[in-house]
Amino acid sequence: MKRRIDIQKEIERLDAKADCQRIVFLTAYLEFPWDVTRALELALFRTFAVPSIATVLNKTGEFTQATQRRYDDTAIIINEILINGYDSERGQAFIQRMNGIHGHYKIKNEDFLYTLSTFIFVPIYWLDRFGWRKLLKQERLALHYFWVEVGKRMGIENIPETLEAFEAWSQEYEQAMYANSEAGVQIGNATRDLLLSFYLPKFLWRAAEPVVYALMDERLLKAMNYPLPSPATRRWVQGLLKARAKILRWLPKHKSPQLTTLWRSATHPDGYAIEDIGPNSLREKLSR
């Protein structure tokens, strides 16, 4: 109980903007490591629901032909930035690597901006529903300030200045841009099956698909051409997660940051260097 209070008190003492890197680190790796990872996995599907984003992602072939690698490399980049901070030498190196990968594709600023918004709001929405406690105001603001700074280093323009303005922009973008596309369905299905493979043998994937759908809202499901789960399935899945949260409130919390269990390293079992990260077709070019 004391450790839990100490972490929250530390977060409350910090400045949401000036100390956003520290706050996000504590939130993601001490308070909610499992939840933040699940939320960021779900955020992938929200980008697939935008045809212009899905088309670019599908053209790389990575999501359908090297799904595990694409998942691992994405997780590595995100975690390296979250763990080390965007101003650290290592954080800057991975942002530069990410920018180099993105630079080989024609991506609209609005699509970059929407993707950035999912890193902020999907974790917030997830933790509001399934976290063992509610996010503190500093944590919400820190997520915004953190990813805004990353966005600036990515060269993204017209980033809304406040959390509220960014959320409103993101919601409007979804309403205007979500649509079904063949590319979105292809990469969505491949990612869905990969996530299910982390927990179940292949012969059970089809039966477990409704569990994934129960975590998605109707707008996303329609855009991805996924069936609406039954109300009973949605209640059961979300009920389990809420029950988990209630139990976690009374269990001992992590005493040290959970840094080694946040991504699967099947792609890089012996570790990785920065030049190992990225699509197969681009790694040699980026390393020159």
Side-chain angles (χ1 to χ4, degrees), residues 44-92:
L44 288 172
F45 290 92
R46 305 204 78 84
T47 64
F48 303 159
V50 179
S52 55
I53 298 176
T55 298
V56 172
L57 294 173
N58 200 41
K59 281 182 179 178
T60 69
E62 293 286 303
F63 270 99
T64 53
Q65 299 172 27
T67 312
Q68 179 76 62
R69 181 177 196 104
R70 185 64 172 80
Y71 175 92
D72 288 348
D73 285 359
T74 299
I76 286 169
I77 290 173
I78 292 173
N79 280 283
E80 287 283 357
I81 298 170
L82 287 171
I83 290 169
N84 299 293
Y86 48 74
D87 275 338
S88 70
E89 182 178 349
R90 193 166 179 87
Q92 291 179 45

Side-chain angles (χ1 to χ4, degrees), residues 3-15 19 22-23 26 30 136 138:
R3 188 218 67 89
R4 179 194 309 174
I5 296 173
D6 288 346
I7 294 296
Q8 293 180 48
K9 283 186 176 180
E10 178 181 352
I11 293 173
E12 290 172 343
R13 287 194 300 266
L14 295 171
D15 181 89
D19 301 314
R22 175 62 177 170
I23 294 172
L26 293 173
L30 268 166
L136 303 172
Q138 286 95 325

Side-chain angles (χ1 to χ4, degrees), residues 207-253:
E209 285 178 12
V211 174
V212 179
Y213 304 149
L215 299 173
M216 300 180 182
D217 59 86
E218 187 171 342
R219 181 191 299 169
L220 177 57
L221 289 165
K222 287 183 176 179
M224 293 300 298
N225 199 30
Y226 289 153
L228 295 177
S230 68
T233 299
R234 197 179 287 278
R235 286 195 300 269
W236 175 72
V237 172
Q238 296 186 10
L240 284 178
L241 289 169
K242 291 177 180 179
R244 169 185 174 272
K246 290 181 180 179
I247 294 171
L248 285 178
R249 287 172 198 163
W250 301 105
L251 293 180
K253 301 301 181 291

Side-chain angles (χ1 to χ4, degrees), residues 62 88-89 102 165 186 200 267:
E62 293 286 303
S88 70
E89 182 178 349
H102 290 160
Q186 287 179 355
L200 298 169
T267 305

Side-chain angles (χ1 to χ4, degrees), residues 133-272:
R133 66 167 172 81
K134 295 294 184 182
L135 283 175
L136 303 172
K137 180 179 179 180
Q138 286 95 325
E139 291 174 303
R140 295 171 184 272
L141 291 173
L143 277 168
H144 170 73
Y145 290 128
F146 183 97
W147 287 111
V148 165
E149 289 302 318
V150 173
K152 291 177 180 178
R153 287 155 177 78
M154 294 173 64
I156 301 176
E157 301 176 347
N158 303 319
I159 304 175
E161 295 183 0
T162 67
L163 181 71
E164 294 77 15
F166 206 172
E167 182 177 24
W169 181 91
S170 182
Q171 291 291 327
E172 291 174 4
Y173 181 91
E174 287 187 0
Q175 292 177 1
M177 304 304 295
Y178 269 22
N180 182 252
S181 68
E182 183 178 352
V185 172
Q186 287 179 355
I187 58 179
N189 289 348
T191 303
R192 177 202 63 204
D193 291 346
L194 175 68
L195 297 180
L196 290 172
S197 75
F198 294 164
Y199 305 99
L200 298 169
K202 189 173 182 178
F203 72 89
L204 290 177
W205 294 355
R206 185 64 181 271
E209 285 178 12
V211 174
V212 179
Y213 304 149
L215 299 173
M216 300 180 182
D217 59 86
E218 187 171 342
R219 181 191 299 169
L220 177 57
L221 289 165
K222 287 183 176 179
M224 293 300 298
N225 199 30
Y226 289 153
L228 295 177
S230 68
T233 299
R234 197 179 287 278
R235 286 195 300 269
W236 175 72
V237 172
Q238 296 186 10
L240 284 178
L241 289 169
K242 291 177 180 179
R244 169 185 174 272
K246 290 181 180 179
I247 294 171
L248 285 178
R249 287 172 198 163
W250 301 105
L251 293 180
K253 301 301 181 291
H254 299 295
K255 294 182 179 180
S256 58
Q258 302 301 292
L259 304 180
T260 60
T261 59
L262 292 175
W263 62 83
R264 293 177 178 269
S265 57
T267 305
H268 309 283
D270 300 317
Y272 55 86

